[in-house]
Amino acid sequence: MPTFTPLQRLVVSVAILASFVTFLDGTVVNVALPAISRELGGGIATQQWVVDAYLITLSSLILLAGSVSDAYGRVLVMRIGLIAFGVASIAVAAAPDPLILIIARAAQGAAGALLVPSSLALITATMRGEVQSRAIGVWTAFTTGAQLVGPVMGGMFVDLLSWRFVFLINVLPIAVNLILLGRLHLPAHQRTTRVDWWSGVLCAIGLGGLVFALIEQERMGWSAAAIWIPGVLGILLLVAFLLRQRSSDTALMPLSLFTVRNFAWGNLATLFIYAALSLNGFVIGVYLQQGPGLSATAAGLASLPITILMILLSSRAGAWAGKLGPRLFMTVGPLLMAVGAALLLTVGVEFDYWWQVLPAMLVLGVGLSLTVAPLTSAILGAIDENRSGIASAVNNAVSRVAGLLVVALLSTIVGGALDLNGFHSAALVTAGLFALGGVVSWIGIRRNPVEEPAAS
């Protein structure tokens, strides 16, 4: 196994800490939503916006941030992102009303968008070959871990202190990372990339308009001009964004990437699988508090079996997929997760975690463990090394947009209220999305070609 030099260890540490806070903040909030709603008001719409305001700016700006990182220097962009994320986190924690909270969450997402691509770019710029693969594997393991331990940490802070402290978790790792960045001395960055600012604007406003319409239509109705105008405008701007990617010399999302089979089908599978994961994480974190009346900590601990199984099985699944190819695992894993989601239909008025929720968490954990590493390797392994950074950014953006859209549709999915019937509806939709991810993988994924060693 390749070992890291001291500089490479420092780069990996910086990259992990920078991305860790953004992924942690995307999931830690779920168990805090009921407490936020009780204190600030606003009901399910506020809960949706607290999640989606963050995801809108994170997902729509992550591709633009990748170009900015290449153009102005990864260390500089990361430093700006860390400081901005810390300031925005403090603003979220101090928010006196839903509007300020939502604006601060959007600022958090924008700052987070600066961190993810610049962290990956640091790895790809300073490492090659097996060392780079190992570094990306370590980065993926820690960022996935952040998403899984988030609900547990969030629940403990809500119960023992306040929901406001959930957003101050970031301050310590940000401070540590700023110190580490000061010790990171890299060669001067050649700034040859031009930034396509217009594409970034089209993507951000387009997603914002569409998500606004999806969330607020439950309250205003589709016939209201305040709904269909931003909805239609959002769709048109997103179409304009895609058209610009075809013609722009500095495309944020080169459409040529999607001519590669595993990249295209893998990202379609990502869309379904991560939409299901986001929906499942949201409804579990909120319903177990609002329905059976569990504490925030208990609601966060409900998903702990998934984390444990991921730690135990993910690396093995990655090794198996390396030998057998990713197709089998990307098919069986999501189909298992569909079964796990369907098991949540056993949750009833008389609640029992051990018989109604735990079996679902165990099946979901096994399925997720079989899926994540093969999915990542199938997508990134299909793209040549010099485009691995943008390929990773696109896949990250797809997964965030998936979560963004499904949370925006939450009121429609649960029928306006996250009661027991709404929880069952969400479980059915989650199972369907997972199943689609498995079917798409079986149809589209093939083993990536492996370069043969040169003849001696």
Side-chain angles (χ1 to χ4, degrees):
M1 181 179 291
T3 57
F4 296 135
T5 66
L7 175 62
Q8 289 168 342
R9 279 197 296 272
L10 181 58
V11 167
V12 171
S13 300
V14 166
I16 287 172
L17 279 173
S19 300
F20 187 88
V21 294
T22 63
F23 288 111
L24 178 68
D25 228 66
T27 56
V28 74
V29 68
N30 286 337
V31 292
L33 293 173
I36 292 171
S37 186
R38 284 194 299 271
E39 182 174 331
L40 300 183
I44 194 170
T46 293
Q47 293 177 341
Q48 287 173 278
W49 274 116
V50 169
V51 174
D52 270 358
Y54 180 82
L55 288 176
I56 285 173
T57 49
L58 178 63
S59 56
S60 63
L61 297 177
I62 197 168
L63 297 176
L64 178 64
S67 290
V68 171
S69 174
D70 288 340
Y72 295 100
R74 288 132 196 167
V75 173
L76 173 63
V77 169
M78 185 178 288
R79 185 174 285 114
I80 293 171
L82 286 167
I83 294 171
F85 201 94
V87 171
S89 297
I90 294 170
V92 172
D97 57 55
L99 180 60
I100 300 299
L101 175 64
I102 291 165
I103 292 171
R105 282 286 286 169
Q108 255 192 329
L114 295 174
L115 297 177
V116 176
S118 57
S119 66
L120 274 172
L122 276 178
I123 291 175
T124 57
T126 54
M127 303 174 210
R128 289 289 183 270
E130 290 184 29
V131 174
Q132 185 190 93
S133 298
R134 185 188 173 205
I136 292 176
V138 173
W139 179 89
T140 301
F142 275 91
T143 53
T144 302
Q147 296 176 74
L148 296 174
V149 303
V152 179
M153 292 179 62
M156 293 176 65
F157 274 81
V158 170
D159 287 338
L160 299 177
L161 296 168
S162 162
W163 65 264
R164 297 179 184 276
F165 284 88
V166 168
F167 300 99
L168 297 178
I169 294 173
N170 310 309
V171 174
L172 180 59
I174 286 173
V176 171
N177 214 19
L178 285 171
I179 294 171
L180 293 179
L181 272 178
R183 297 169 51 193
L184 185 60
H185 303 292
L186 297 175
H189 182 75
Q190 291 186 349
R191 303 174 186 180
T192 56
T193 302
R194 290 189 297 117
V195 180
D196 186 357
W197 297 102
W198 280 111
S199 287
V201 171
L202 290 171
C203 186
I205 299 178
L207 274 176
L210 179 59
V211 170
F212 176 86
L214 292 174
I215 292 178
E216 295 297 326
Q217 61 82 23
E218 182 70 24
R219 186 168 59 89
M220 299 184 190
W222 283 112
S223 60
I227 293 298
W228 64 263
I229 290 177
V232 171
L233 180 63
I235 292 171
L236 292 175
L237 289 175
L238 289 174
V239 171
F241 167 76
L242 292 175
L243 291 175
R244 186 173 178 85
Q245 302 317 292
R246 290 175 54 188
S247 58
S248 175
D249 293 332
T250 55
L252 300 182
M253 187 177 72
L255 297 185
S256 60
L257 290 173
F258 292 92
T259 63
V260 179
R261 182 183 182 112
N262 274 8
F263 186 84
W265 286 93
N267 274 291
L268 184 58
T270 296
L271 187 72
F272 292 126
I273 292 167
Y274 277 83
L277 286 171
S278 296
L279 179 59
N280 186 69
F282 188 105
V283 298
I284 289 288
V286 174
Y287 175 75
L288 293 186
Q289 295 178 70
Q290 295 183 167
L294 270 61
S295 67
T297 302
L301 286 170
S303 301
L304 186 60
I306 298 178
T307 307
I308 294 171
L309 287 167
M310 283 285 292
I311 293 170
L312 294 176
L313 300 178
S314 286
S315 60
R316 295 183 182 181
W320 295 335
K323 294 178 181 178
L324 302 175
R327 184 189 188 198
L328 175 64
F329 298 90
M330 288 176 61
T331 301
V332 173
L335 292 179
L336 270 178
M337 287 191 280
V339 172
L343 286 174
L344 291 172
L345 294 172
T346 61
V347 173
V349 177
E350 296 297 322
F351 180 77
D352 187 319
Y353 172 79
W354 301 105
W355 293 104
Q356 296 173 356
V357 179
L358 180 60
M361 296 298 104
L362 292 173
V363 176
L364 282 165
V366 173
L368 188 61
S369 300
L370 292 177
T371 303
V372 172
L375 177 66
T376 303
S377 64
I379 292 171
L380 296 186
I383 302 300
D384 55 86
E385 188 176 278
N386 64 350
R387 296 200 295 174
S388 61
I390 187 62
S392 178
V394 170
N395 185 238
N396 265 290
V398 169
S399 64
R400 304 305 148 220
V401 169
L404 169 69
L405 294 178
V406 79
V407 172
L409 287 166
L410 182 69
S411 288
T412 302
I413 291 169
V414 303
L418 192 45
D419 53 15
L420 183 58
N421 289 332
F423 180 78
H424 285 165
S425 297
L428 283 172
V429 173
T430 302
L433 288 168
F434 278 135
L436 282 171
V439 171
V440 164
S441 298
W442 179 256
I443 293 171
I445 297 299
R446 298 292 183 269
R447 183 188 287 270
N448 283 321
V450 177
E451 290 185 14
E452 296 294 336
S456 58

